[in-house]
């Protein structure tokens, strides 16, 4: 931590939870417990708030950053960030499609859907960032498929986020004050051989707001298991 601070960075904790922690009848109680744990056990650490993810995000549309439900969640995340002193709220797009849709006849529609999704997520995040710029930074995280959290082993039915790659993230944050949360585990997903984790950082440049470092050895084996 001391070495990181000398270099102008901080090492801290990322707050993430299940959907029921952020919305629903028991959300206030859950958020209260999260805040209490953070402030009592990890006081002094740097905090960032990570929007929840998982299969329900896509199958039920409960965290779609293109829609009103995403805007509502951004408000909840921002309130939590303010209460715990987090310097960043970062999310996944929470909208996507399945590999089963990736057929030659549907590719033009998928590409249009993806571009539209990136632009809508960008629009909503920028609007929110301008309203709450004094609270914290706001950003988007890369989430290629398969991600570390995938539980579906069938490549035809696993969901793909419309904001997957670092380039997709750059499409969201370009010419704005938004930042990118660069997840090394997600970036390394399904890449075999030596993985260059530095090259994306150079492309991201001044839009780099957070680095999530994880061990990502192995690769996906369709129909067998998520990771081998």
């Amino acid at each position: 931590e001391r070495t990181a601070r000398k270099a102008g960075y901080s090492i801290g904790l990322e707050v993430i939870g299940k959907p029921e922690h952020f919305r629903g009848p028991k959300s206030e109680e859950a958020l209260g417990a999260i805040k209490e744990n953070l402030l009592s056990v990890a006081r002094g650490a740097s905090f960032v708030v990570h929007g929840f993810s998982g299969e329900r995000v896509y199958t039920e549309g409960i965290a779609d950053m293109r829609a009103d439900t995403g805007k509502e969640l951004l408000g909840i995340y921002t309130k939590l960030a303010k209460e715990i002193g987090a310097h960043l709220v970062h999310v996944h797009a929470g909208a996507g499609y399945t590999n089963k849709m990736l057929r030659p006849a549907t590719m033009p529609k998928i590409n249009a859907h993806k571009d539209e999704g990136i632009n809508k997520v960008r629009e909503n995040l920028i609007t929110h960032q301008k309203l709450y710029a004094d609270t914290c930074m706001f950003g988007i995280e890369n989430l290629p498929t398969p991600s570390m959290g995938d539980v579906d082993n069938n490549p035809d039915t696993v969901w793909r986020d419309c904001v997957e790659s670092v380039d997709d993230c750059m499409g969201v944050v370009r010419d704005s004050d938004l930042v990118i949360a660069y997840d090394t585990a997600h970036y390394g997903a399904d890449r075999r051989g030596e993985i260059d984790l530095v090259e994306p950082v150079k492309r991201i440049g001044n839009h780099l707001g957070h680095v999530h470092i994880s061990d990502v050895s192995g690769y996906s084996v369709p129909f067998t298991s998520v990771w081998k």
Side-chain angles (χ1 to χ4, degrees):
E1 171 70 11
R2 287 194 296 269
T3 301
R5 288 190 182 278
K6 286 181 180 179
Y9 299 95
S10 61
I11 298 174
L13 298 174
E14 191 172 272
V15 184
I16 187 170
K18 297 178 180 179
E20 55 266 30
H21 293 156
F22 293 95
R23 61 196 319 164
K26 296 185 177 181
S27 61
E28 285 298 322
E29 179 182 347
L31 287 175
I34 289 173
K35 288 183 287 187
E36 182 180 349
N37 290 339
L38 285 172
L39 297 178
S40 63
V41 177
R43 184 176 296 278
S46 298
F47 299 135
V48 299
V49 175
H50 184 350
F52 62 79
S53 191
E55 191 174 21
R56 283 182 59 202
V57 167
Y58 301 101
T59 58
E60 300 177 26
I62 57 177
D64 189 341
M65 289 299 147
R66 305 169 305 175
D68 288 343
T69 183
K71 295 177 185 178
E72 178 186 345
L73 279 172
L74 281 173
I76 296 172
Y77 298 153
T78 303
K79 182 175 182 290
L80 176 61
K82 186 174 183 178
E83 291 173 347
I84 65 175
H87 65 275
L88 169 68
V89 170
H90 66 99
V91 297
H92 296 299
Y97 51 92
T98 66
N99 273 2
K100 193 172 184 179
M101 302 176 188
L102 296 179
R103 299 291 182 265
T106 61
M107 278 307 296
K109 183 176 180 181
I110 291 294
N111 289 335
H113 169 83
K114 184 180 177 74
D115 291 341
E116 180 183 356
I118 289 174
N119 289 331
K120 192 61 180 178
V121 170
R122 167 184 164 80
E123 176 185 325
N124 286 342
L125 283 177
I126 288 177
T127 298
H128 192 82
Q129 186 273 328
K130 288 180 177 178
L131 289 173
Y132 297 96
D134 292 339
T135 301
C136 62
M137 298 186 297
F138 296 89
I140 190 77
E141 181 179 322
N142 57 307
L143 184 65
T145 301
S147 75
M148 294 297 286
D150 285 332
V151 294
D152 190 342
N153 303 317
N154 184 336
D156 277 345
T157 57
V158 68
W159 281 86
R160 304 179 71 97
D161 198 278
C162 68
V163 181
E164 293 188 277
S165 66
V166 168
D167 288 337
D168 290 341
C169 290
M170 290 297 287
V172 173
V173 306
R174 58 184 167 77
D175 302 321
S176 76
D177 291 327
L178 298 175
V179 298
I180 291 175
Y182 171 49
D183 190 313
T184 60
H186 291 328
Y187 180 76
D190 212 24
R191 293 171 183 264
R192 304 191 186 195
E194 186 174 345
I195 302 171
D196 185 350
L197 296 177
V198 176
E199 186 275 333
V201 174
K202 294 178 179 178
R203 279 191 286 139
I204 294 169
N206 291 334
H207 282 292
L208 182 65
H210 177 59
V211 178
H212 183 159
I213 299 176
S214 302
D215 178 18
V216 70
S217 59
Y219 50 87
S220 174
V221 180
F223 300 109
T224 304
S225 64
V226 179
W227 292 96
K228 280 291 186 181

